[in-house]
Each structure stands twice: as structure tokens, then as C-alpha cells.
Amino acid sequence: MPAPDEAALDPDAIHSDALHPDAMRQPLPDAWYCVGRSDALKAGALRAVELNGEQIVLGREASGAPFALRDRCPHRGMALSKGRFDGDALTCPFHGWRFGTDGRCRDVPTLSASDNADFSRIAVQRFPIRESAGFAWVNPYLGPPTGSPAAALPELGFTPAGCVVVELVVEASFDLTTLSLVDPGHVAFVHDSWWFRPSKELREKVKTFTPTQHGFTMTSHATTTSSPVYRLLGGAPSVEIEFRLPGVRLERIEAGTKRVANYTFATPLTQNRTMLTNALYWNMPALNLLKPIAQPLMRQFLTQDQQVLQHAQAGLDRKPTMVLFGQGDLPSQWYFRLKREALQAAREGRDFVTPLATQELRWRS
């Protein structure tokens, strides 16, 4: 057996030319992260979320536009999400300070007539928020413009007749969780379910990967119809799987005019807590009858990832190194190369330039 490549045994080799070792172990600062379903943002209501250690309050203006503010009153630190929202302004429940959805302070009711204070200079940090594919997305970056736009938000591409969404918190780092989105080798061992992978035999897979802006795509290919999931579509479905920064996996399945999209998003909550969101969309109304079955199966699938990632994180906490080895691990290495390029482009104030090239990969799964 030939000696293994030395760099493959040295996981720090993939970080050797990183901008900074710590930067490569953190979520990208300037990126769009999924913070929940759009329909969870109701007019006149507030919703508290966590994003990479930042407490954020979300809401929807009377006009229908969403907003995202730091969930902290600058007066005494009270969470604004605990207060009231009338569709126009948020009221802190501690002393009644009022803030517009632009973050500007509008009123300090405890001031007396003799107080000569200009509270218009007081503001709560506002974060960019957008909606796409049925979800709200927040960019927590507060630095100066970098000249390198963040990766585009995922879009659906068809009008869904139905959708099932499952969310699960994983007690693991964002990087480790995101690697599971691009790791083809774990499927045979972690997701060994009768309804997803009825064949227990490992088979050689040969797929072509092409670079895309801020990511890469496993190019469209005909898939086996042995899986009960694919048999529902009939014919010979074709599958295309795209990954894009910061942690977005987009699986698109087509069979004639039938469309199914299986999207998964990773969202950093804290340094070692990550939200995994899985959304399954389809354009066939008849499949709505299967919603009661689809949701528990999706949760079972995501729970399998959750459990193995949490055990892996415990191992990395003891020794924070990974050996990325073989063609099946190349997508994981690509993730770090893409991340490093995003950081470097932002630092240099230039456009992102993909470091990847089209490549055929072989692995067994």
C-alpha cells in the first residue's frame, strides 16, 4: 500500500495559509443565516432568536416588511422581545422606552419637562433581514463594507403545493455541523433506514462536481428508483445537489413536471450550538396527504445527524483535529477552501473568486 499523503494526516495543513487560525474556526461574519420561517413573523408580534452569540428580536411591520434588532434596550439591558410591539414601535417593559423598527429611540416617558436630553441619538443596532424560500435570513455583520458580497440566498424555483419543515438544535460547532452537509460517506452508516436506504450494500459512486459562486454542485444525474422516496415521483428522477456558503445544502429532484426540493440550512447559535433546519417542498398537491408521515421521518433523519455530530464534537473537544482523507473527504476540504477565500476577498476588498475546479470524485456509499 502506498504511503498516505502527509498533508492528509496533518489536518492543520488545510488551514496553513488561512487568514487567521481562529477565523477559520468561526462562522463567516458577513453571510446570510436562516433564523426561522417567514410565517413565524406575525404583524404586532415579536420573536427572539440567537445568532452566533447575538441576541436578536425579529418582527414584522404593519406594512409587512420584516425587521431585526439587537434584543437589548440600551438603558438597562432589558430584552426588547419581552415588551410590546404595536406594529410601529417596540416598548421596553422595564421603563417604557420606545424604539422604531429602524432602531431609533422615539420616546423616554420617564423624562420630566425640565430634562434637557436628546434621546433621538439613542439607537438599537439594526441588522439586515431578507426573506427567501419561505424563511427569514439575517446577516449579523456590523463591520465596514468589504466589497465582496455575501453568497446569494437560496430560492425555490417553483411554486410549492406543500412543505414540511423540521428544526433541530445540535450541540456541536457550526463547522462540524456544516461538514455533514457535504459529506457523502456518512450516509451509509448514519442514515441506514429502511425508508431512505433499503439497500445495505456499499456501492462505488462516481459523480462530477462543478464550482459555482460561493460553492459547488454535484451535477444533475439520474438516480436509482429503489428508494421509496424516489418511487413516489415515478419515472427516473434526476437529482442535483448544491452547496453554498455559509452552510446551505440545496437538493433539487425532478421527474418530468414534478418537482421536489430538499433544503438544509445550518445556523450558528453559539460557539458549540448549531440549528439545523430541513425543509422539504413539492409541487404535487397529492403529496400533501403524506405530511403526517413525512414530518416524523424527516425528524428521525435529522436526529441521526444530531446524535452522531454531538458524539463527534465531544471527541473534537478532547483533540481538535480532523484527518480528511480520500476523495470522499474532498468536499469537506473544499468547504474550508471556500471559507478561506471568502475571508481573504473580504479583507482585500475584492470579489470572491472560486478556488475550485470541475472534478470527478469516486467513493463508496
Side-chain angles (χ1 to χ4, degrees), residues 91-111:
T91 301
C92 176
F94 203 170
H95 295 88
W97 288 29
R98 285 172 56 79
F99 298 88
T101 57
D102 61 355
R104 292 287 178 183
C105 184
R106 293 187 179 180
D107 186 29
V108 178
T110 54
L111 291 178

Side-chain angles (χ1 to χ4, degrees), residues 11-270:
D12 288 333
I14 62 173
H15 303 309
S16 59
D17 58 340
L19 211 60
H20 188 281
D22 289 340
M24 289 299 294
R25 291 173 172 82
Q26 298 293 328
L28 288 176
D30 186 7
W32 293 100
Y33 293 99
C34 176
V35 291
R37 298 183 64 166
S38 285
D39 58 16
L41 300 182
K42 310 292 186 183
L46 298 173
R47 181 167 178 258
V49 299
E50 190 171 29
L51 179 55
N52 203 24
E54 184 75 69
Q55 305 298 319
I56 298 175
V57 56
L58 308 177
R60 193 177 294 281
E61 301 173 5
S63 66
F67 65 88
L69 301 175
R70 177 170 285 146
D71 195 8
R72 182 185 183 277
C73 179
H75 181 212
R76 302 286 178 90
M78 182 66 191
L80 292 173
S81 59
K82 301 296 183 181
R84 300 187 307 276
F85 176 55
D86 60 9
D88 180 55
L90 297 81
T91 301
C92 176
F94 203 170
H95 295 88
W97 288 29
R98 285 172 56 79
F99 298 88
T101 57
D102 61 355
R104 292 287 178 183
C105 184
R106 293 187 179 180
D107 186 29
V108 178
T110 54
L111 291 178
S112 73
S114 62
D115 270 320
N116 185 20
D118 181 11
F119 54 76
S120 65
R121 297 183 179 183
I122 302 172
V124 177
Q125 179 64 52
R126 181 180 175 117
F127 298 95
I129 181 170
R130 291 168 60 183
E131 295 180 278
S132 186
F135 289 88
W137 303 78
V138 168
N139 187 330
Y141 180 64
L142 300 178
T146 64
S148 180
L153 292 175
E155 298 179 348
L156 196 51
F158 64 87
T159 301
C163 177
V164 173
V165 177
V166 174
E167 297 175 321
L168 210 59
V169 174
V170 182
E171 301 292 337
S173 71
F174 178 77
D175 274 348
L176 179 61
T177 304
T178 300
L179 289 182
S180 72
L181 305 183
V182 299
D183 172 22
H186 81 284
V187 175
F189 304 96
V190 177
H191 302 301
D192 191 8
S193 304
W194 66 267
W195 57 273
F196 178 74
R197 191 177 177 276
S199 173
K200 308 305 178 187
E201 180 183 351
L202 288 177
R203 297 179 180 177
E204 180 110 344
K205 302 293 178 64
V206 183
K207 307 294 182 187
T208 300
F209 291 78
T210 58
T212 53
Q213 187 64 16
H214 292 98
F216 53 87
T217 296
M218 180 193 295
T219 54
S220 182
H221 58 279
T223 186
T224 174
T225 57
S226 61
S227 169
V229 176
Y230 293 138
R231 275 206 299 267
L232 290 172
L233 300 180
S238 65
V239 179
E240 179 184 83
I241 301 176
E242 177 190 354
F243 172 81
R244 70 176 67 161
L245 295 175
V248 172
R249 181 185 186 274
L250 309 173
E251 181 176 359
R252 307 177 184 96
I253 307 168
E254 297 184 6
T257 60
K258 299 174 182 177
R259 300 286 185 273
V260 172
N262 184 30
Y263 286 4
T264 308
F265 316 125
T267 303
L269 304 179
T270 63

